[in-house]
């Protein structure tokens, strides 16, 4: 039972073996993402612009030329099949597939000069999700894990939640499994996002769960007494119920925790605005989790590796020729609904929203009607959380091949995200072997982005 392995040093191996019968009988098979508490420094979030972040991860490398950096005057093999449209902010052109987002660019911020040397998926997404280029000696933590480690909220929900799925490089790295995200996946049968482990094991109810928690607490206290009296060999004393287990109990016993994941609480109009596809449901759930004070949420959106048939995949989708089911119209609906909703609820200014993938696509369409990996220049869309509104930072050259000005590295972007979240890049993290590692070492804050 992985949740109760020895991640907290106050619980020795012998103690876990002796108690597994209690813990297995009391709780479902919790994932490691529930282990969110620790004795870490709580940063002054009141001094930061953003108190939470929603990262929409477009896995596979979205095409900047078909999305955020159109080239209407370039040759046809460069500019692609979609026309460019004006938006609500000057110099903020998008392609025609972003009809709804085009009305909201005056609330957004765009980087068109992202650049990276890494063009292979795994190493590239590690760089974007951590701000560090990967090495063979150290697995760096992602944004969500660092926030979980440094800014614990001490509420009944995990501090880092991943919706739909997550890349391993979006995990805890050397910070340890207690800072892995709690994953909420879409149920293949019902089509609904279904959090695991929030229902009682058959035959248990709230009263029995509470009794077992009290019994386990007494057993912990007995161990402490026995250790003091020398009656239990070489077992580390515990001050009480472990924080990880305590949070697990609170998640199950608190009905408001379960309600935070219940999209049925939303009006039919709101649900329709986000749409019934996975990305729309994830964005709606992310907004609900922001309202429940979850500080970091990652939304994993698949299939952006468009080596072939980009019109089908980006515009039309695999469900047929109906416009509006492709990747970009789906993103357009979900992202615009999220921004409008956050703004209407006065949450946008305190919530940083980031839309990105690991790289862009080649400046020329290939022989199979797609584009291949291209890290030399690509785009990132942002909103809220202390950013300038309607601002475009940097640009690519006439064919979208290289940055023309103001190049931004993934390390720079990471440093800026941490700055907006109130985390200093100089804050030191500690590896399991005691090495101090800065939150961000090679990046610089992009001050032009900040309002």
């Amino acid at each position: 039972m992985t949740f109760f392995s020895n991640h907290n040093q106050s619980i020795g191996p012998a103690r876990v073996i002796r108690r597994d019968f209690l813990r297995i009988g009391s709780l479902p098979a919790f994932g490691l993402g529930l282990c969110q508490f620790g004795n870490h420094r709580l940063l002054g979030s009141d001094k930061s612009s953003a108190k939470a972040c929603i990262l929409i991860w477009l896995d596979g490398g979205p095409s900047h030329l078909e999305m955020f950096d159109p080239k209407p005057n370039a040759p046809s093999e460069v500019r692609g099949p979609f026309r460019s449209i004006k938006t609500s902010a000057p110099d903020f052109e998008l392609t025609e597939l972003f009809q709804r987002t085009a009305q909201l660019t005056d609330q957004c911020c765009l980087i068109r000069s992202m650049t990276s040397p890494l063009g292979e998926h795994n190493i590239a997404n590690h760089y974007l999700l951590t701000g560090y280029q990967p090495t063979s000696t150290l697995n760096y933590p992602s944004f969500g894990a660092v926030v979980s480690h440094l800014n614990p909220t001490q509420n009944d929900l995990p501090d880092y939640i991943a919706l739909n799925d997550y890349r391993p490089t979006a995990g805890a790295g050397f910070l340890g499994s207690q800072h892995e995200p709690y994953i909420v996946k879409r149920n293949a049968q019902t089509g609904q996002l279904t959090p695991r482990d929030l229902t009682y094991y058959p035959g248990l109810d709230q009263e029995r769960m509470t009794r077992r928690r009290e019994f386990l607490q007494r057993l912990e206290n007995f161990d402490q007494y026995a250790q003091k009296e020398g009656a239990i060999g070489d077992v580390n004393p515990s001050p009480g119920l472990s924080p990880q287990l305590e949070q697990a109990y609170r998640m199950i016993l608190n009905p408001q925790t379960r309600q935070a994941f219940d999209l049925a609480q939303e009006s039919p109009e709101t649900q329709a605005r986000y749409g019934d596809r996975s990305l729309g449901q994830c964005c709606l759930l992310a907004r609900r989790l922001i309202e429940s004070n979850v500080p970091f949420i990652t939304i994993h959106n698949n299939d952006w590796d468009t080596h072939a048939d980009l019109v089908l995949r980006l515009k039309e989708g695999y469900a047929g020729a109906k416009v509006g089911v492709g990747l970009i119209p789906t993103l357009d609906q979900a992202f615009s609904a999220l921004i409008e909703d956050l703004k209407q609820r006065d949450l946008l200014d305190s919530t940083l929203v980031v839309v990105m993938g690991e790289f862009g696509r080649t400046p020329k369409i290939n022989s199979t009607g797609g584009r291949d990996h291209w890290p030399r220049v690509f785009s990132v869309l942002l909103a809220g959380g202390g950013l300038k509104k309607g601002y475009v930072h940097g640009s690519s050259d006439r064919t979208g091949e290289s940055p023309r000005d103001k190049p931004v590295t993934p390390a720079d972007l990471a440093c800026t995200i941490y700055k907006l979240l109130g985390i200093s890049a100089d804050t030191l993290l500690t590896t399991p072997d005691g090495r101090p590692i800065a939150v961000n070492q090679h990046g610089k804050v992009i001050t032009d982005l900040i309002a």
Side-chain angles (χ1 to χ4, degrees):
M1 183 146 178
T2 57
F3 179 69
F4 300 113
S5 59
N6 187 29
H7 299 304
N8 187 311
Q9 293 183 1
S10 66
I11 304 176
R15 175 173 299 179
V16 174
I17 293 172
R18 197 175 74 233
R19 295 203 182 138
D20 273 353
F21 79 95
L22 273 175
R23 298 178 177 182
I24 294 172
S26 299
L27 294 172
F30 273 88
L32 292 171
L34 291 182
C35 306
Q36 299 293 324
F37 279 26
N39 296 321
H40 304 305
R41 182 166 60 96
L42 180 61
L43 299 180
S45 59
D46 57 328
K47 296 180 181 179
S48 62
S49 298
K51 301 188 185 310
C53 180
I54 299 172
L55 169 59
I56 302 175
W57 177 254
L58 308 181
D59 193 63
S63 173
H64 56 297
L65 294 162
E66 267 67 54
M67 299 173 68
F68 308 126
D69 194 10
K71 302 293 181 182
N73 299 319
S76 60
E77 67 271 19
V78 173
R79 70 173 180 265
F82 308 132
R83 66 183 179 88
S84 172
I85 59 172
K86 300 290 184 180
T87 71
S88 59
D91 304 321
F92 210 126
E93 291 187 1
L94 302 173
T95 65
E96 61 184 304
L97 302 184
F98 283 102
Q99 293 290 328
R100 299 184 181 189
T101 302
Q103 308 304 313
L104 297 170
T105 56
D106 57 350
Q107 300 296 317
C108 300
C109 185
L110 179 64
I111 304 174
R112 282 196 176 131
S113 53
M114 290 296 304
T115 184
S116 166
L118 306 180
E120 190 277 326
H121 291 294
N122 290 328
I123 60 176
N125 64 53
H126 182 282
Y127 195 10
L128 266 293
L129 290 165
T130 68
Y132 278 94
Q133 294 194 39
T135 70
S136 60
T137 59
L138 195 60
N139 187 12
Y140 292 95
S142 66
F143 301 123
V146 172
V147 170
S148 168
H149 178 70
L150 294 177
N151 282 0
T153 59
Q154 299 188 7
N155 62 21
D156 288 351
L157 287 165
D159 291 320
Y160 179 22
I161 296 179
L163 304 181
N164 197 36
D165 206 343
Y166 81 110
R167 277 276 186 178
T169 46
F174 66 71
L175 288 180
S177 56
Q178 66 268 35
H179 298 295
E180 290 289 327
Y182 174 71
I183 307 172
V184 181
K185 292 189 176 183
R186 202 179 196 201
N187 188 296
Q189 294 180 332
T190 65
Q192 302 298 313
L193 288 165
T194 306
R196 68 189 191 282
D197 309 328
L198 292 188
T199 57
Y200 297 123
Y201 190 81
L204 292 176
D205 55 23
Q206 183 169 346
E207 182 179 355
R208 292 184 67 189
M209 287 282 288
T210 301
R211 287 203 309 268
R212 292 193 179 194
R213 178 170 63 173
E214 292 173 352
F215 184 41
L216 185 55
Q217 178 74 63
R218 292 177 183 177
L219 190 56
E220 294 277 0
N221 293 337
F222 171 76
D223 279 350
Q224 184 181 14
Y225 169 78
Q227 171 66 21
K228 182 178 179 181
E229 297 298 318
I232 301 182
D234 187 18
V235 177
N236 293 327
S238 171
L241 197 62
S242 71
Q244 295 91 346
L245 187 58
E246 179 63 35
Q247 188 190 30
Y249 271 111
R250 293 202 313 270
M251 280 191 69
I252 293 179
L253 295 175
N254 187 348
Q256 292 182 342
T257 296
R258 296 194 296 273
Q259 289 176 6
F261 293 98
D262 186 6
L263 297 185
Q265 302 284 326
E266 299 290 333
S267 69
E269 294 77 15
T270 298
Q271 294 186 54
R273 175 66 183 88
Y274 280 88
D276 60 359
R277 308 196 77 199
S278 177
L279 182 57
Q281 286 192 7
C282 287
C283 285
L284 178 53
L285 180 52
R287 190 267 291 160
R288 290 182 61 83
L289 294 173
I290 289 293
E291 290 181 308
S292 295
N293 299 317
V294 175
F296 203 97
I297 301 142
T298 293
I299 298 171
H300 187 90
N301 191 227
N302 284 320
D303 300 327
W304 291 88
D305 195 18
T306 50
H307 289 281
D309 302 321
L310 65 80
V311 173
L312 175 65
R313 298 181 68 180
L314 297 181
K315 179 181 179 179
E316 297 168 354
Y318 290 113
K322 179 182 177 182
V323 175
V325 298
L327 289 168
I328 297 179
T330 299
L331 173 62
D332 179 46
Q333 179 177 9
F335 174 77
S336 60
L338 176 63
I339 299 304
E340 286 181 337
D341 210 357
L342 290 172
K343 183 172 175 57
Q344 289 172 0
R345 295 168 185 266
D346 294 324
L347 292 170
L348 185 58
D349 288 341
S350 60
T351 305
L352 175 64
V353 182
V354 182
V355 182
M356 67 178 183
E358 58 263 50
F359 41 61
R361 313 303 291 189
T362 48
K364 289 186 179 181
I365 293 179
N366 62 30
S367 60
T368 58
R371 299 184 192 263
D372 302 312
H373 301 181
W374 195 256
R376 190 182 301 174
V377 71
F378 55 104
S379 302
V380 170
L381 180 65
L382 309 100
L387 293 163
K388 287 181 180 177
K389 297 178 180 180
Y391 173 66
V392 177
H393 182 85
S395 62
S396 63
D397 59 21
R398 61 181 296 272
T399 60
E401 182 178 0
S402 302
R404 186 176 67 180
D405 60 4
K406 301 179 180 178
V408 175
T409 70
D412 297 332
L413 177 63
C415 190
T416 306
I417 289 173
Y418 283 128
K419 170 70 174 178
L420 291 165
L421 291 172
I423 296 175
S424 171
D426 296 330
T427 302
L428 293 180
L429 309 173
T430 305
T431 66
D433 61 359
R435 291 172 54 193
I437 302 291
V439 164
N440 181 270
Q441 193 171 359
H442 305 295
K444 296 180 179 179
V445 174
I446 313 165
T447 55
D448 289 347
L449 293 181
I450 300 175

